[in-house]
Amino acid sequence: MTVSTTSILQHRARPPRRIRGRVFRSPTAIVAIVWLVGLVIASLTGPLWLRYGPLEQDLSAVLQGPSAAHLLGTDELGRDMLSRVVTAAAPTLLVALITPIVAVLITVPITLWAARRARAETVVNRVSEIVLSLPGTVIILAFIAAVGTNMPLVMAAFGVLVFGAMYKVFFGQAKSLHKQLYVEAAAVDGVRPMAASIRHVLPNMSTTVIVQFVLLFGAAIGLQAGLAFIGLGPQPPEPTWGGMIQTASSFIFQQPWLMVPTGAVLALTIIAANALADVLAGGTAMPPPLISIRRKKNRADAAPSTSTIAHVPTEVAASVVASVPAEERELIVEDLVIGVDDGPALVTGVSLRVRPGTVMGLVGESGCGKSVTSYSLLGLLSPGLSVRSGRIAWGGVDLAGAGEKTLAKVRGHEIAYISQEPTRALDPMFTISWQLSAAIKRLRRVSGAEAKRIAAELLTNVGIVDVPRVLKSYPHQISGGMAQRVAIALALAGTPHLLIADEPTTALDVTVQAEILGLLRRLIAERGMSIILVTHDLGVVADLCDEVSVMYAGQIVETGPVRDVLLQPEHPYTMALLAADPHAILNFEGTTRLASIPGQVPLPGSMTSGCRFVERCRFAQDVCSTTIDLQPRAEGDGAVRCIRRDEVRGRQDEWREPITIGEER
């Protein structure tokens, strides 16, 4: 029941695929790319289609406006402006590429090196600060005085000078990625540090690197134009955008039009570069909803939802959520399908129903889709994941199709989230008081003084004794159990009606676990909240939950009231989990042996069309390859996804015997 390092690495994100999808789905990105590439192609092929050469003079047609003979007019020597603007494009854009190439080639290797070595980090940090403090403009001018107006060398020097700023952008992300589990797993497998950085860290930094590359490309174009404008670029008569703008400024009163062609092309080029960077960063150039609904035909895992709640416009949805009485709020999840963009489905056909004032337990091994499902309820899926179909009904609104404005009305106000690691919810840079007060002011719209009073009250409610000391403390100054209590208080800052608790007791010792569970039980009784409890601990489920849903490989395999499911399990996977729990409430007669489930949860994309537990189930037969939906349980309420449920019912004690997989086939 453990996850190998190989499977961890196989689950690693693939940013390049996400980037390609984001670019090709964005009209803004396509237009920007067409403009930049088109300029270069037009410039390089100019002699084949331009009517005039860029240096060809006609003193009888000086400072003319647009005409049939000269589409963009002429300059002070009668030279065709279209020819000069187009001819200058390729040298400008191609030379501008030198700056980001040099900057990335210098910064990325140094950043990866510094992020994994403490001594190197100290040295490189000092060097980057020195580079940042240098007067860049003065150095560029001095460099030009030394080497002349050699634009490729000047652009290379500019790339070196931006090392400090780019290092600051890259270092924080690289440092964080080096601490990720899949990087540590690579080290355990014997991968050398630099190889691990290149193989696992750099791909996850690719979006940031590409965005900075494109932004720096636009800055280099502007720098070239500025230097040419003050006479430090390529010298006349060679056409340059900055030189043409400088000339146009000298004749601004005689012929104002002369400024328009070059100025417009320069502005559009820089805008195109910045717009492309914005799309690559996932910004406002292509504003997708945080969770997108995708309907794909001929895909069993993405069948159209049979939702009965219509998709409501964002503005209307926000008011609908706010107007529904708290006692009528019920979470209904139906046929939820979550998948990787252009990849396999991670969660398929999940349905949940959480009534007001009840606790729903969501259990299963790691990798079964519990956390992904809980993230989707608030629109918190990681980049690259999306809801393909299904509905998430809350207060009359389908949150799966809601926009960011509606989700912002729900998060914290209506539905709150508690992470299994409280340190993820607490910023180490700020005190507990500041973080709680900021959340309260934002969610409850109260004054600073009132927010501090409520913060102290919340800490008291979650069982913290020395409230004044904790309020003044930073997260690293309090214990893990106290940090979890603070995280719960933070989740209660907006008086939510539904609390999603993702393994809130995993990192705590037994005594503190009992205290946190008692706290959650009291919150349910006092506030009438409903809770979705994601956990591995069946003892916690038995103690706290009203209903339980067992997940395996992205599906719900059994669901029902806690007493029915835990006392009379009907799915072999539920039986195996109970048999593997040393604190199980079942009485397995004649043995004290704990069950061991061989194998591991199948990876997304490798799941069978029939029962997904078939490769690990001791009761599996050929008939189990048949696709089956959830069927009503024979004993008690709920449903079970097993075609042999009538035959295997009551045989849970066999899981504690030595296992031979497929022995019944």
Side-chain angles (χ1 to χ4, degrees), residues 57-381:
Q57 301 181 12
D58 183 2
L59 298 179
S60 64
V62 174
L63 296 177
Q64 289 187 356
S67 64
H70 302 280
L71 297 180
L72 296 182
T74 60
D75 65 4
E76 80 280 9
L77 296 178
R79 294 172 294 195
D80 183 69
M81 286 298 297
L82 176 62
S83 299
R84 292 179 65 77
V85 169
V86 171
T87 301
T92 300
L93 298 183
L94 296 178
V95 171
L97 284 173
I98 296 175
T99 294
I101 289 174
V102 170
V104 168
L105 289 179
I106 292 175
T107 308
V108 169
I110 293 177
T111 302
L112 295 177
W113 176 58
R116 68 175 189 273
R117 294 180 180 272
R119 292 184 179 179
E121 175 183 346
T122 302
V123 173
V124 177
N125 281 344
R126 300 293 85 77
V127 172
S128 67
E129 291 167 2
I130 293 173
V131 174
L132 278 172
S133 66
L134 297 175
T137 303
V138 174
I139 292 177
I140 290 292
L141 295 177
F143 188 81
I144 293 175
V147 303
T149 56
N150 187 321
M151 279 296 105
L153 286 179
V154 173
M155 291 296 100
F158 182 45
V160 174
L161 285 175
V162 298
F163 160 77
M166 189 169 284
Y167 171 81
K168 295 297 184 183
V169 174
F170 292 165
F171 179 78
Q173 186 178 16
K175 187 74 173 178
S176 175
L177 289 170
H178 272 93
K179 297 179 180 179
Q180 295 299 314
L181 181 58
Y182 53 79
V183 179
E184 296 177 357
V188 172
D189 286 345
V191 180
R192 292 185 177 183
M194 179 55 80
S197 297
I198 295 174
R199 188 182 305 170
H200 305 304
V201 175
L202 185 56
N204 287 281
M205 293 176 57
S206 60
T207 300
T208 304
V209 172
I210 293 173
V211 169
Q212 293 301 315
F213 185 99
V214 177
L215 288 174
L216 195 53
F217 170 70
I221 295 173
L223 178 63
Q224 283 189 82
L227 291 174
F229 182 85
I230 61 177
L232 297 179
Q235 297 303 302
E238 182 178 349
T240 61
W241 288 347
M244 285 184 277
I245 292 175
Q246 194 277 334
T247 299
S249 66
S250 301
F251 296 92
I252 191 68
F253 296 105
Q254 292 94 324
Q255 179 54 280
W257 169 259
L258 192 60
M259 182 72 73
V260 175
T262 311
V265 171
L266 176 61
L268 289 174
T269 303
I270 295 177
I271 289 172
N274 290 337
L276 182 59
D278 194 36
V279 173
L280 292 172
T284 56
M286 183 193 68
L290 196 56
I291 297 182
S292 58
I293 300 296
R294 295 187 174 187
R295 309 279 186 187
K296 296 188 178 181
K297 297 182 179 180
N298 301 323
R299 289 280 300 270
D301 59 352
S305 170
T306 57
S307 171
T308 58
I309 294 183
H311 291 272
V312 184
T314 299
E315 294 75 15
V316 178
S319 61
V320 170
V321 170
S323 63
V324 176
E327 61 273 9
E328 297 180 7
R329 285 177 183 156
E330 180 179 31
L331 180 71
I332 302 174
V333 180
E334 287 189 352
D335 299 325
L336 188 66
V337 177
I338 304 170
V340 180
D341 293 348
D342 304 319
L346 304 182
V347 170
T348 55
V350 168
S351 297
L352 299 171
R353 194 180 195 96
V354 184
R355 299 186 301 275
T358 64
V359 182
M360 166 65 76
L362 199 57
V363 301
E365 293 173 84
S366 297
C368 286
K370 305 185 303 299
S371 294
V372 171
T373 301
S374 62
Y375 294 154
S376 69
L377 303 181
L378 283 172
L380 297 176
L381 289 173

